Amino acid sequence: MRTPFTRIAFATLLALPLGFGPALAQESPIPPGVLDTAKVPGVMAKAVDGFIRPGYHRFHDSATAMASAMGALCAAPSQLSLDGARTAFGSVVDAWSRIEIVRVGPVLEGNRFERILFFPDRKGTGLKQVQAALAKSDESATSMETLKDKSVAMQGIGALEFVLYGTGAEALTAEKEGYRCRYGAAIAANLQRLGGELATEWDKPDGIQAAWKTPGPNNPIYRDEAEAAKELLGVLVHAAETVRDQRIESFYKGDAAKALPHQAIYWRSGNTFRSITANIEGIRDLMDQSGMADLLAEDNRSVVSSTDFVAHSLARVSGDIEPDVAKALETPEQVAKLDFLLLNSRDLILRLNNDLGGGIGLAAGFSFSDGD
């Protein structure tokens, strides 16, 4: 039975207008449902300069701080230095979770995305490889130069989480320059490298940012403004789908008795809901920083505000859930919050895909998942 929390909160969201707002007295020069092509380059430019580039720089900075914290832990192991490394890890999770919603461009080249985050790992491939490296004390995993050529599952945030929080993590406070710590330091250095590469690629004036900012017949990626707008909206829709399908439903599908808490992302470190919140805040930030409302007719812009309201509500609830996933699944009040996320993440997908998509000139029901 749905709790009062869920009924009230969900009813509030359902009260929002799913369609377009009432027409204003003055007719808009661009009617609802027709893409204002003249404004697309400006919106794409703001997405790049206001969200994407700062996002990758923030991730690079957090990974740099992570590498420094691991160096300090290895040099002077103690509970204090371990706590410092774990705090830095949480910042990495937060920074990556905000920008990981951009699953296009340089992050897909050379398997960078999977090198940073190998998830979901349904068969436990990554876990087995990390455990094997720790059991054998494979020295080739303690240098970024050799680690980067190994399995992607061994060199990213998930692997570092196990080093810091998994079975045997207590060794990090007991041995100076120990193997486990040096492996973790190599992972952090690899994340720093990847973050730097992504920031550099997006900073190049004649690189991917130019493709985003100047759609047209001479653009090898976006031949016109419609293709560019579809890419931007597709980023938002896919991000919302990922939150529901890979972040929430990976461990909870509506029945707490059948939930799989150890399938949740970052469950060991208690960063599951911090990451989900950052994913959702990333969606909100991208909508806001890009000025996507500019692509809508004047009397249709309430679509963006209502969509943002749903996203804000989701972020508020996910940020207020018990960090320990297993404990959250044992408490009716916490399960009610999970139900809220499950139900309303679907609403967010529909608002982005149908309302916002239709409002900027794509047919309602446009399926980004099919690549149309």
Side-chain angles (χ1 to χ4, degrees), residues 251-260 329 335 339 342:
F251 71 94
Y252 180 72
K253 296 184 178 181
D255 185 346
K258 297 181 180 179
L260 302 169
L329 288 163
V335 171
D339 287 335
L342 199 61

Side-chain angles (χ1 to χ4, degrees), residues 58-73 79-97 156-157 160-161 164-165 184-185 187-189 191-192 266 269 271 274:
R58 182 169 178 255
F59 172 61
H60 180 231
D61 290 346
S62 69
T64 299
M66 182 77 249
S68 177
M70 288 303 300
L73 174 61
Q79 188 59 52
L80 183 63
S81 56
L82 176 57
D83 290 344
R86 287 175 170 175
T87 297
F89 178 80
S91 296
V92 167
V93 168
D94 186 78
W96 172 247
S97 298
I157 299 176
L160 184 55
E161 182 189 35
L164 290 171
Y165 294 90
I187 297 172
L191 292 172
Q192 181 183 15
Y266 307 129
S269 61
N271 281 299
R274 180 176 184 174

Side-chain angles (χ1 to χ4, degrees), residues 154-201:
M154 292 180 62
Q155 55 183 274
I157 299 176
L160 184 55
E161 182 189 35
F162 189 85
V163 167
L164 290 171
Y165 294 90
T167 304
E170 61 275 5
L172 292 170
T173 63
E175 182 182 1
K176 183 177 180 179
E177 300 296 344
Y179 173 79
R180 188 182 189 112
C181 192
R182 288 185 291 118
Y183 173 36
I187 297 172
N190 190 54
L191 292 172
Q192 181 183 15
R193 174 185 68 87
L194 290 163
E197 289 179 359
L198 289 167
T200 297
E201 288 298 317

Side-chain angles (χ1 to χ4, degrees), residues 2-315:
R2 190 180 298 160
T3 68
F5 175 90
T6 305
R7 288 198 299 270
I8 295 172
F10 188 47
T12 300
L13 291 185
L14 289 180
L16 291 170
L18 279 172
F20 304 133
L24 298 179
Q26 183 177 357
E27 184 179 356
S28 171
I30 300 295
V34 177
L35 181 65
D36 190 343
T37 57
K39 292 182 178 178
V40 171
V43 169
M44 299 296 286
K46 287 188 286 186
V48 170
D49 296 333
F51 179 78
I52 298 175
R53 290 176 58 214
Y56 282 126
H57 278 281
R58 182 169 178 255
F59 172 61
H60 180 231
D61 290 346
S62 69
T64 299
M66 182 77 249
S68 177
M70 288 303 300
L73 174 61
C74 296
S78 68
Q79 188 59 52
L80 183 63
S81 56
L82 176 57
D83 290 344
R86 287 175 170 175
T87 297
F89 178 80
S91 296
V92 167
V93 168
D94 186 78
W96 172 247
S97 298
R98 286 174 182 269
I99 194 59
E100 74 167 315
I101 69 170
V102 181
R103 300 194 182 200
V104 296
V107 76
L108 299 185
E109 297 169 3
N111 293 320
R112 284 193 182 104
F113 191 98
E114 290 77 13
R115 292 178 190 280
I116 294 171
L117 179 63
F118 185 75
F119 186 87
D121 182 11
R122 295 184 178 89
K123 296 182 179 180
T125 302
L127 175 61
K128 293 174 185 176
Q129 292 176 349
V130 172
Q131 289 174 324
L134 291 171
K136 297 176 182 178
S137 296
D138 177 8
E139 285 295 329
S140 64
T142 63
S143 167
M144 183 270 288
E145 291 301 324
T146 47
L147 178 63
K148 67 183 177 64
D149 296 323
K150 291 183 176 293
S151 164
V152 297
M154 292 180 62
Q155 55 183 274
I157 299 176
L160 184 55
E161 182 189 35
F162 189 85
V163 167
L164 290 171
Y165 294 90
T167 304
E170 61 275 5
L172 292 170
T173 63
E175 182 182 1
K176 183 177 180 179
E177 300 296 344
Y179 173 79
R180 188 182 189 112
C181 192
R182 288 185 291 118
Y183 173 36
I187 297 172
N190 190 54
L191 292 172
Q192 181 183 15
R193 174 185 68 87
L194 290 163
E197 289 179 359
L198 289 167
T200 297
E201 288 298 317
W202 278 96
D203 282 348
K204 292 178 181 177
D206 58 348
I208 183 66
Q209 68 162 281
W212 270 57
K213 294 177 180 180
T214 56
N218 296 322
N219 188 319
I221 302 178
Y222 309 116
R223 293 165 295 179
D224 56 36
E225 290 80 4
E227 288 189 357
K230 288 177 183 178
E231 182 80 291
L232 179 57
L233 186 59
V235 167
L236 293 168
V237 173
H238 282 306
E241 289 174 338
T242 297
V243 167
R244 179 182 172 87
D245 300 342
Q246 293 186 12
R247 297 298 184 262
I248 303 171
E249 290 196 333
S250 65
F251 71 94
Y252 180 72
K253 296 184 178 181
D255 185 346
K258 297 181 180 179
L260 302 169
H262 289 181
Q263 292 296 317
I265 193 169
Y266 307 129
W267 67 268
R268 288 184 176 86
S269 61
N271 281 299
T272 299
F273 301 110
R274 180 176 184 174
S275 175
I276 291 174
T277 302
N279 288 157
I280 299 167
E281 290 292 356
I283 293 172
R284 296 185 68 210
D285 287 348
L286 181 53
M287 282 197 299
D288 178 55
Q289 294 297 327
S290 65
M292 287 199 73
D294 293 343
L295 297 180
L296 292 161
E298 189 69 33
D299 56 351
N300 252 3
R301 294 186 178 180
S302 63
V303 167
V304 171
S305 60
S306 62
T307 301
D308 180 72
F309 179 86
V310 175
H312 174 67
S313 298
L314 284 165

